[in-house]
Amino acid sequence: MAAPRPYTLVAELTYRCPLQCPYCSNPVNFQAMREEVSTEQWCKTFSEAADLGVVQLHLSGGEPVIRKDLPDLIRHARQCDLYTNLITGGTLLNTENLQQFRDCGLDHIQLSIQDTERETANLVAGVRSYDKKLTVARLIKQLGFPLTLNVVLHRFNIDHVPELIAQAADFGAQRLELANTQYYAWALENRSALMPTQAQRDRAEEIAREARARYRGTMEIAFVQVDYFSAEPKACMGGWARTYMCITPTGEVLPCHAAQVIPGLQFDSVRHQSLTTIWQQSAALNAFRGEAWMQEPCRSCPKKASDFGGCRCQAFLLAGDAAATDPVCRLSPHHEVVLAAVAAAEQEHVPLVYRNSKNSEKLSARP
């Protein structure tokens, strides 16, 4: 079977970050992954990605602005004709480095916002960052960058969706992503603390739907569903290793940011093989391509060609088997696990576990 063409590459340049967000998608054992890919290796990888057909490059982390070579990486991405987006918490941005990134060819900036209320925003970020983020959002627009605001929605801020939409419009954002928390990595550790109620989610979606019509033509509004409240699985990342790849700070090529949680898969690194070889021949990337791996009820389901059985990482985390039907599907024999998690989240109010080195070491040491 010929490997599909990749269109999107997420380059996680570092796991270092000044924020401590409890829903972070970085692995809980990030503290053990310290040897980052070099400037030269990243540039080589960007060139190979362009040759494979990649058109969109997202520079992510952690906080990618921590990398001192970020201007060089942006400059090389421009030479490769990759549309380059910086995904950032914003706390390290200023006029000087933003101008430098613009001059190097950066196309777009995606800025994370935790809330419209200072106290809640700082609580969720784990540091005092609210005021800095507001300053940076306006500075990004002043310097002429297209701006996407990303807000991860959860119990603490989902009732503030009207204010979040108004704030994005005030900043002049071209796009607002209202992304309900997806429960992997740190978010899974905090699931009971973060998950909103079904009623909260329904209200937020209705408000977003109405606003989408109101702002059509001036600001795009995306509302990412909560998997646990859906009776049908999503086509995660457009299918396993079909159009999307993520490369970790240490060079492993993944089909999504969470895939390393699945045991038994050995993800190859760009330190040792070319990206082309990995994309085409990696046993891990080929593990869930096609349909041969599917179990029932996916194997007989008419939707298997569009939802691909749902999320492989979620299947492992909730059912203990990465080849199982995603338990969010109402037809999954493990669907009760999802229902139980939703019920527990409505009743439990537990402390947040922050993403930081101390907690990373503690969670990594668990048996």
Side-chain angles (χ1 to χ4, degrees):
M1 178 182 66
R5 170 185 168 175
Y7 288 89
T8 301
L9 166 61
V10 174
E12 294 183 322
L13 302 181
T14 182
Y15 285 142
R16 293 172 288 161
C17 184
L19 303 182
Q20 303 182 53
C21 303
Y23 48 71
C24 182
S25 63
N26 290 167
V28 295
N29 64 337
F30 74 87
Q31 183 66 11
M33 306 176 190
R34 300 182 180 182
E35 187 180 354
E36 296 176 358
V37 171
S38 68
T39 306
E40 294 73 22
Q41 185 62 68
W42 274 123
C43 290
K44 179 175 181 288
T45 299
F46 294 167
S47 295
E48 293 174 345
D51 290 341
L52 274 170
V54 169
V55 294
Q56 295 182 349
L57 171 64
H58 301 279
L59 302 174
S60 182
E63 176 50 70
V65 181
I66 286 177
R67 290 276 302 220
K68 301 301 183 184
D69 59 354
L70 185 55
D72 296 325
L73 299 181
I74 294 171
R75 189 178 298 110
H76 187 79
R78 167 52 55 208
Q79 293 171 359
C80 296
D81 200 27
L82 295 170
Y83 184 88
T84 305
N85 174 38
L86 178 66
I87 301 176
T88 176
T91 58
L92 303 181
L93 293 175
N94 53 50
T95 301
E96 181 180 3
N97 58 20
L98 280 169
Q99 288 177 333
Q100 184 181 26
F101 299 157
R102 183 188 61 189
D103 293 343
C104 290
L106 183 65
D107 293 295
H108 183 277
I109 295 177
Q110 177 177 312
L111 176 67
S112 68
I113 296 289
Q114 276 67 41
D115 198 6
T116 54
E117 296 186 356
R118 179 180 289 103
E119 182 177 354
T120 305
N122 291 338
L123 170 70
V124 173
V127 299
R128 295 179 180 177
S129 58
Y130 175 81
D131 293 327
K132 173 68 174 181
K133 286 174 177 280
L134 299 190
T135 299
V136 166
R138 299 193 187 282
L139 184 57
I140 289 169
K141 291 303 298 180
Q142 289 171 11
L143 292 174
F145 283 105
L147 172 64
T148 290
L149 289 182
N150 175 269
V151 184
V152 177
L153 296 180
H154 43 75
R155 179 181 296 168
F156 294 89
N157 66 5
I158 195 167
D159 293 330
H160 304 157
V161 164
E163 293 82 2
L164 289 163
I165 293 170
Q167 183 184 69
D170 180 58
F171 287 148
Q174 278 75 26
R175 177 178 169 85
L176 171 63
E177 293 182 358
L178 298 169
N180 281 279
T181 303
Q182 303 299 311
Y183 295 99
Y184 309 93
W186 292 93
L188 185 60
E189 296 292 332
N190 287 289
R191 185 174 64 189
S192 291
L194 293 174
M195 188 178 292
T197 66
Q198 175 86 52
Q200 285 180 305
R201 200 280 308 183
D202 290 346
R203 286 194 300 270
E205 184 178 27
E206 179 60 28
I207 291 167
R209 184 182 301 113
E210 294 173 354
R212 187 179 297 122
R214 188 165 67 252
Y215 286 100
R216 183 173 290 116
T218 59
M219 180 173 66
E220 180 184 359
I221 300 175
F223 187 87
V224 181
Q225 299 286 346
V226 184
D227 280 9
Y228 284 51
F229 293 147
S230 175
E232 297 182 352
K234 64 176 181 288
C236 190
M237 313 313 297
W240 181 275
R242 290 173 60 88
T243 63
Y244 175 102
M245 68 174 84
C246 176
I247 302 180
T248 71
T250 51
E252 287 75 26
V253 181
L254 313 179
C256 69
H257 61 271
Q260 284 181 311
V261 73
I262 301 176
L265 296 181
Q266 183 64 47
F267 292 101
D268 300 311
S269 172
V270 294
R271 296 176 187 274
H272 310 302
Q273 298 184 59
S274 72
L275 184 62
T276 300
T277 298
I278 295 172
W279 180 255
Q280 295 174 349
Q281 300 179 21
S282 165
L285 296 188
N286 280 310
F288 299 109
R289 283 172 170 159
E291 300 174 358
W293 57 271
M294 290 184 177
Q295 304 174 4
E296 295 293 351
C298 289
R299 185 180 293 273
S300 301
C301 182
K303 294 185 177 181
K304 65 182 178 181
S306 57
D307 65 25
F308 312 108
C311 177
R312 299 302 88 224
C313 302
Q314 196 154 255
F316 170 73
L317 290 170
L318 298 181
D321 181 1
T325 299
D326 187 336
V328 303
C329 179
R330 66 182 183 279
L331 301 178
S332 166
H334 303 283
H335 187 57
E336 71 278 0
V337 175
V338 173
L339 299 180
V342 171
E346 295 212 11
Q347 299 173 14
E348 297 179 11
H349 294 273
V350 297
L352 292 171
V353 178
Y354 286 102
R355 177 214 183 273
N356 55 46
S357 298
K358 180 180 179 180
N359 285 332
S360 177
E361 291 173 354
K362 181 171 66 175
L363 294 173
S364 298
R366 289 186 306 193

